[in-house]
Amino acid sequence: MKRLAKILSLVLCLFCLQSARAQSDLFPFVVPWDGAPSGAADMSVLLHRPAGKFGHVRVGADGHFYVGAQRIRFWGVNMTAGSCFQHKQNAPKVALRLAKAGVNIVRFHHMDAPWANPSLINYSTGGSRQLNLQALDNLDYFFAQLKQVGIYTNINLLVHRRFSSRDGLPAEIDSVTDMKDQHVIGFFYQPMIELQKEYARQLLTHRNPYTGLTYAQDPAVAFVEINNENGLIQGFLGSVLDRIPAVFQQDLQRQWNEWLLAKYGNSTNLRQAWGERSEPLGPEMLTNGNYTNGTTGWYLEQHAGAQASATVVTDAPSGYSRSVRIQVTRAGSQGWHIQWGQPGLRVVGNGIYTLSFWAKASTNRNFTVAIAMAHEPWSGLTPWTPVSLTTTWRRYEFTFVVRQDDDNARVLFTDMGLNTGSYWITGVSLRRGGTVRVIPVDQSLEARNIASVLRSNWWNTPEPIQKDWLRFLRDTEERYWNGLYRYLKQDLGVRALVTGTIIGCALPSTMAQTDLIDTHSYWQHPEFPGGDWDPRNWFIRNIPMVNYRDNTFTGLAPKRVWGKPFTLSEYNHPAPNTYTSEGLILLAAYALLQDWDAVYFYTYAHRRDELDARRITGFFDIDQHPTQWMSLVAAAAMFLRGDVAPAQQLVGVTLSREQEIEHLRWSWAWRLVDGEHVGLRGLIALKHRVAVALEGQTLPISTLRPDQVDTSGDVLVSDTGQLRWDWSVPGRGVFTVASPRTKAVVGFGAGRRFDLGDGVVVEPGNTRQNGFSAITLTVKQGVLSSQVTQHTQLLITATGYVQNTDWGWEELGDNRVTVRDNWGRAPSLVEGISARITLPMPASVVQVYALDGRGGRTVRVPVGRTADGKAVVEIGPQYGTLWYEVVASARRPITRER
């Protein structure tokens, strides 16, 4: 035991030594929670005070936000759960800190969650219909402090509220444990809609004692969001409607039958519209379906190591003498790794075909049948139909409508590859003709018992029924959105702009009926291979977005709807990603190129306590994340001032409501339909503005089609020339901004020289992450010029690797990393970035200072000079900082150093 203890002690010492070495090139850097940015880092000058001083936010004729006569962009953060209810002694400090960081809007999010501490709903009553008055008072006070310093708000109504039978709902609601599933019911079940209205009335007509106004009246409330990340169609595609209790399914089915009755009038018309038809059976199309000639005409497929044999045996049902036994002796990783089929069949699109066969298995199990292509891309020509087999012979018959002509189709028995065991098949017949029955004989419109469509049966549902079901869901969902929109605007008198939810969870044509288009995105969101949000079983992929052509931005841009304001109300490169410095710089630049209207980082914090954490506290909170805080400040100046010019050329596509329905048939729950479905490639957005014109809209005559734009090559430059994304060196992508007031080099720039215009050259140094860094120059005052005729002030940020002290870093392979529930301790540790920065100003008039966490000056940084006397700044880890101030005046100021 002593020897074992000694070995363990030695291993522990070696581990500690390795950990110390790993952190030896890092230094502590903490952004004080109660210290607002100062000096060059203070961006509060970009905000007007108080928020709302020019009246309510409105949408101008150009599709952008205005207050009074001036356009306004919003650069914001989310305040999530408990952080919405700051303690009164802290609220003024948090508000001022945000304002000085350049934040001019906060989104109040997850206020209704039962896990929020506190929650705006008083769940201690047993239901969800009473507000928590203490939390409401804290919200009122914090809102007033935000308003005073120039910060607008976005109020979310339904995010994570838990409904219960104590709210007056059926007892079955308590069995729906997923709150988002509950909210899907709330799209069509009127009692739940009324509860949502009640909550909106309680909150929005409440008079804030610290402002004297209700939230419905207050011009500092810029936006109200009805329902976060949710939709009825999305719920269907996510199989929510398949699993909700029968009482709610029955109510939806009632509405479905009313919708069908209004459209078709009677069952005869419905059957005709849905394609019910009957044709006499034609001749047999298959050979050797009874296996009396061995396995002639049939073939066995074995893939990816799966093994099986096909043997003709005498075990057969009455009337047959032979069957084929498919014996799987080694399972594969996919069902299709073992398949049995007969190719060479000619089928006609929209033709009716009847497939019948006898089958059994060694145990109760399933396989799948279809008519499919016997050639690439091997697609199904009919639905992939699961068949439940037992250990006794049974006859099966299916009538299909073939989707398209094909001269080399096949009858296919598949999905036998996942388990070992045996299948017996015989009497296989395929004939043209049969009866396509779309409505069971015991269902009719007259009886109002036409069954709802189940997601689990989607691929067995004929196309006309699929489309009608999706149209019904869309109409029902639009009734919800429009009804609540009218309630907020007309009944409650809400003056703020109102949106429903994000594109991705709802259709563009639906959300365009509200005041703006919104969406969300994350680069490498945490993944949970076990249970949702398991704090010990998760990972992120620790990779930099700058290396990838397929990225968050190229996914976001095609969601833009022509003529509507476009906002991104959640965005993050979540911790513990060590490349997170890139996120907001890239986003702000391309959001400006696309001329978007609002961007919010998710999230400032989830908590109102432990504000002085002095470390990264989780995936999303940025309030104590040093490199993200630096990026927030620099990107705020860029975005609010519009430092990057909008792209000159527009590239657009059109999207009709019927196209939406067609693409929905193949969509999934978190990617409904957007411009990319009709050809609007996201990469185009790195060069030009992009937008989708909806039904009834007309794009400008100068608009280019996507096929007119070349996005090939390893470098894409915006048509303004200010943005450049370079992938020419594999694994070492670099993005640059070259605008008059913002310069940036983001990515793997070490050892390269970047001329950013106006006399600015940046040469990044080596870093611990293969030369990765994010360097920005923000002109706070004056201009970049060799002739210094006015006081000029610059803010430089230089960020890269970041971690907490002793966090539980684990590498899981394939770029997957985790810290499980060990986020480490304070302080956060950062890497000092080396770079040589040449400025156009004469060295003789330039002074440079390292800054502390608040943005206050610490030590003087020497200023070198080029051969022609221009200033050269050499930054590096020796200064123990992530940002610097540069000042230049014709007459050098007298300064005192700390």
Side-chain angles (χ1 to χ4, degrees):
M1 288 297 293
K2 289 182 179 179
R3 184 180 181 186
L4 177 61
K6 187 174 182 180
I7 293 172
L8 290 174
S9 177
L10 178 60
V11 170
L12 181 61
C13 288
L14 289 173
F15 174 80
C16 293
L17 179 61
Q18 183 178 13
S19 177
R21 286 173 178 169
Q23 297 179 175
S24 63
D25 60 335
L26 305 178
F27 56 85
F29 194 84
V30 172
V31 182
W33 79 270
D34 56 351
S38 61
D42 179 0
M43 299 301 169
S44 60
V45 67
L46 302 175
L47 282 58
H48 60 252
R49 304 186 182 192
K53 70 179 292 186
F54 298 112
H56 291 274
V57 179
R58 61 182 177 84
V59 179
D62 59 357
H64 296 298
F65 297 136
Y66 284 81
V67 287
Q70 62 181 302
R71 182 178 173 184
I72 185 170
R73 295 183 184 88
F74 290 105
W75 182 256
V77 295
N78 284 254
M79 304 299 294
T80 302
S83 71
C84 300
F85 314 104
Q86 294 291 327
H87 295 293
K88 289 185 177 179
Q89 66 270 27
N90 296 335
K93 296 177 182 179
V94 173
L96 186 61
R97 184 182 191 228
L98 288 168
K100 290 200 169 189
V103 170
N104 69 342
I105 194 165
V106 300
R107 179 174 179 249
F108 286 130
H109 189 58
H110 276 300
M111 292 193 295
D112 58 352
W115 48 264
N117 183 26
S119 173
L120 187 56
I121 293 177
N122 184 2
Y123 287 101
S124 66
T125 64
S128 67
R129 298 183 65 178
Q130 293 185 28
L131 298 187
N132 179 338
L133 297 183
Q134 183 58 59
L136 181 60
D137 185 61
N138 284 94
L139 176 69
D140 289 340
Y141 187 76
F142 186 34
F143 174 91
Q145 296 301 311
L146 292 168
K147 177 179 179 177
Q148 181 178 329
V149 297
I151 299 177
Y152 289 80
T153 57
N154 176 333
I155 295 177
N156 291 187
L157 295 179
L158 183 60
V159 182
H160 221 199
R161 178 182 179 180
R162 171 170 290 289
F163 293 93
S164 76
S165 57
R166 295 194 180 186
D167 297 327
L169 297 171
E172 289 86 345
I173 195 65
D174 297 330
S175 68
V176 184
T177 56
D178 188 309
M179 284 167 270
K180 300 302 282 186
D181 284 10
Q182 287 189 338
H183 299 174
V184 172
I185 299 170
F187 278 94
F188 64 86
Y189 189 63
Q190 194 61 38
M192 289 187 71
I193 294 174
E194 295 304 318
L195 289 172
Q196 293 173 65
K197 290 180 177 179
E198 178 184 68
Y199 176 84
R201 183 176 66 253
Q202 289 175 326
L203 176 58
L204 299 177
T205 64
H206 160 73
R207 191 169 301 278
N208 185 335
Y210 306 104
T211 64
L213 298 172
T214 67
Y215 289 113
Q217 299 168 334
D218 202 312
V221 179
F223 309 107
V224 173
E225 180 184 302
I226 295 172
N227 192 333
N228 175 69
E229 290 186 354
N230 218 333
L232 183 58
I233 294 174
Q234 183 200 32
F236 168 71
L237 294 176
S239 300
V240 176
L241 297 181
D242 287 30
R243 60 179 179 257
I244 59 176
V247 63
F248 304 115
Q249 289 182 337
Q250 290 163 6
D251 190 66
L252 186 62
Q253 182 175 333
R254 173 187 60 79
Q255 296 180 46
W256 166 233
N257 279 262
E258 291 172 355
W259 188 89
L260 291 172
L261 193 62
K263 182 172 184 178
Y264 294 110
N266 57 58
S267 296
T268 301
N269 293 338
L270 180 62
R271 292 178 188 277
Q272 183 177 3
W274 281 0
E276 187 160 303
R277 54 195 172 113
S278 182
E279 297 177 6
L281 291 173
E284 180 59 55
M285 297 175 62
L286 299 178
T287 60
N288 193 30
N290 298 338
Y291 301 104
T292 54
N293 193 23
T295 58
T296 301
W298 296 87
Y299 69 99
L300 177 69
E301 288 188 29
Q302 304 171 74
H303 299 278
Q307 293 182 4
S309 61
T311 308
V312 174
V313 297
T314 57
D315 186 348
S318 177
Y320 298 87
S321 61
R322 300 284 188 276
S323 69
V324 64
R325 179 190 181 190
I326 311 297
Q327 184 174 14
V328 181
T329 54
R330 178 182 293 175
S333 59
Q334 301 289 333
W336 60 268
H337 287 170
I338 300 295
Q339 302 186 126
W340 178 250
Q342 183 171 134
L345 307 174
R346 184 178 183 277
V347 294
V348 178
N350 201 38
I352 302 174
Y353 293 83
T354 297
L355 172 68
S356 61
F357 57 91
W358 288 80
K360 69 173 183 174
S362 54
T363 61
N364 292 347
R365 60 178 64 193
N366 292 350
F367 64 20
T368 299
V369 299
I371 303 172
M373 296 177 181
H375 54 85
E376 290 186 345
W378 314 104
S379 301
L381 297 168
T382 65
W384 299 95
T385 304
V387 181
S388 297
L389 303 177
T390 67
T391 57
T392 58
W393 284 105
R394 179 182 168 190
R395 184 177 184 275
Y396 301 88
E397 181 174 297
F398 304 96
T399 302
F400 301 121
V401 178
V402 169
R403 295 191 179 105
Q404 64 187 59
D405 293 354
D406 199 292
D407 291 333
N408 185 16
R410 58 180 174 166
V411 164
L412 192 64
F413 297 85
T414 184
D415 283 341
M416 295 183 282
L418 285 176
N419 298 287
T420 58
S422 295
Y423 304 81
W424 290 263
I425 306 168
T426 195
V428 188
S429 170
L430 180 68
R431 303 170 70 183
R432 176 77 183 266
T435 298
V436 177
R437 189 173 296 282
V438 295
I439 303 174
V441 293
D442 60 343
Q443 295 180 20
S444 71
L445 265 186
E446 289 71 21
R448 301 194 180 190
N449 65 346
I450 303 295
S452 296
V453 176
L454 296 178
R455 181 63 173 168
S456 58
N457 196 44
W458 186 247
W459 301 117
N460 294 323
T461 302
E463 179 181 332
I465 303 177
Q466 288 182 344
K467 288 184 174 181
D468 261 351
W469 177 251
L470 291 170
R471 293 182 189 110
F472 160 70
L473 294 179
R474 181 179 63 188
D475 289 355
T476 304
E477 185 173 332
E478 288 183 352
R479 184 168 64 248
Y480 167 86
W481 295 120
N482 294 333
L484 279 170
Y485 181 94
R486 287 191 301 270
Y487 179 75
L488 295 175
K489 290 286 195 175
Q490 298 174 11
D491 293 45
L492 302 187
V494 171
R495 300 287 302 280
L497 300 176
V498 174
T499 188
T501 195
I502 62 169
I503 299 297
C505 296
L507 293 171
S509 67
T510 298
M511 287 300 98
Q513 297 172 48
T514 66
D515 293 326
L516 58 105
I517 299 297
D518 187 34
T519 192
H520 298 164
S521 189
Y522 294 82
W523 175 251
Q524 303 307 321
H525 192 282
E527 298 181 51
F528 299 87
D532 288 347
W533 301 103
D534 184 334
R536 288 196 48 78
N537 187 11
W538 61 268
F539 64 86
I540 59 119
R541 296 187 188 275
N542 192 42
I543 55 179
M545 192 173 83
V546 74
N547 278 349
Y548 292 84
R549 297 168 69 91
D550 184 12
N551 54 65
T552 56
F553 188 75
T554 57
L556 285 166
K559 301 179 189 299
R560 171 75 179 272
V561 172
W562 175 248
K564 300 290 290 189
F566 189 80
T567 70
L568 176 60
S569 62
E570 290 185 23
Y571 189 81
N572 202 326
H573 290 216
N577 189 312
T578 57
Y579 301 96
T580 191
S581 302
E582 67 186 352
L584 283 182
I585 307 301
L586 282 159
L587 178 65
Y590 281 110
L592 286 170
L593 184 75
Q594 293 301 311
D595 210 9
W596 293 353
D597 298 284
V599 171
Y600 308 69
F601 211 47
Y602 188 87
T603 181
Y604 181 79
H606 285 77
R607 67 200 187 286
R608 65 173 183 173
D609 299 306
E610 198 196 357
L611 297 184
D612 192 26
R614 305 192 313 123
R615 65 183 180 92
I616 302 165
T617 57
F619 302 122
F620 306 112
D621 293 15
I622 69 165
D623 64 315
Q624 294 284 280
H625 192 302
T627 64
Q628 288 187 336
W629 191 258
M630 303 292 104
S631 299
L632 182 77
V633 175
M638 187 195 324
F639 189 74
L640 292 179
R641 299 186 310 193
D643 287 357
V644 172
Q648 300 168 0
Q649 179 65 58
L650 175 67
V651 181
V653 294
T654 58
L655 178 65
S656 71
R657 285 171 67 81
E658 277 306 297
Q659 283 178 307
E660 287 181 327
I661 293 297
E662 177 59 34
H663 288 291
L664 274 177
R665 295 177 55 227
W666 312 96
S667 295
W668 69 292
W670 286 91
R671 180 71 187 281
L672 269 59
V673 179
D674 59 41
E676 197 160 23
H677 288 84
V678 284
L680 189 58
R681 304 187 315 278
L683 271 174
I684 296 172
L686 304 187
K687 299 179 69 171
H688 309 299
R689 280 180 298 139
V690 299
V692 179
L694 302 179
E695 195 167 294
Q697 291 185 310
T698 302
L699 291 166
I701 195 170
S702 60
T703 304
L704 293 180
R705 300 187 311 272
D707 60 8
Q708 295 176 289
V709 181
D710 181 11
T711 54
S712 62
D714 292 327
V715 179
L716 289 180
V717 181
S718 65
D719 63 20
T720 63
Q722 293 181 338
L723 305 184
R724 177 186 176 92
W725 204 326
D726 183 345
W727 302 282
S728 59
V729 181
R732 294 178 61 84
V734 179
F735 162 76
T736 58
V737 180
S739 74
R741 292 194 291 181
T742 292
K743 314 286 185 183
V745 178
V746 177
F748 298 85
R752 298 161 72 177
R753 182 179 185 275
F754 299 92
D755 187 338
L756 303 180
D758 302 304
V760 175
V761 176
V762 177
E763 299 168 85
N766 290 321
T767 67
R768 64 157 37 203
Q769 295 191 112
N770 197 29
F772 174 87
S773 62
I775 300 171
T776 70
L777 284 80
T778 301
V779 180
K780 177 76 177 298
Q781 299 179 57
V783 294
L784 289 165
S785 172
S786 60
Q787 302 298 318
V788 181
T789 60
Q790 58 181 304
H791 181 70
T792 299
Q793 184 182 45
L794 311 179
L795 176 69
I796 296 174
T797 69
T799 57
Y801 181 87
V802 61
Q803 68 167 75
N804 288 334
T805 301
D806 297 329
W807 63 3
W809 185 267
E810 294 181 46
E811 298 189 7
L812 306 176
D814 193 25
N815 297 309
R816 295 172 304 140
V817 301
T818 184
V819 299
R820 302 199 186 277
D821 57 355
N822 178 14
W823 284 88
R825 58 183 174 85
S828 52
L829 304 174
V830 300
E831 172 187 24
I833 301 300
S834 298
R836 175 185 170 92
I837 302 172
T838 303
L839 301 172
M841 297 88 77
S844 60
V845 301
V846 172
Q847 295 177 354
V848 180
Y849 302 90
L851 304 178
D852 62 18
R854 291 179 170 84
R857 295 175 179 178
T858 56
V859 299
R860 180 84 64 83
V861 177
V863 178
R865 65 183 62 218
T866 63
D868 59 353
K870 298 297 187 291
V872 176
V873 182
E874 302 261 5
I875 63 174
Q878 65 270 29
Y879 299 110
T881 189
L882 301 179
W883 50 6
Y884 304 81
E885 178 185 3
V886 178
V887 292
S889 293
R891 297 180 62 185
R892 292 179 61 168
I894 298 174
T895 60
R896 294 181 180 178
E897 300 174 26
R898 291 198 287 120

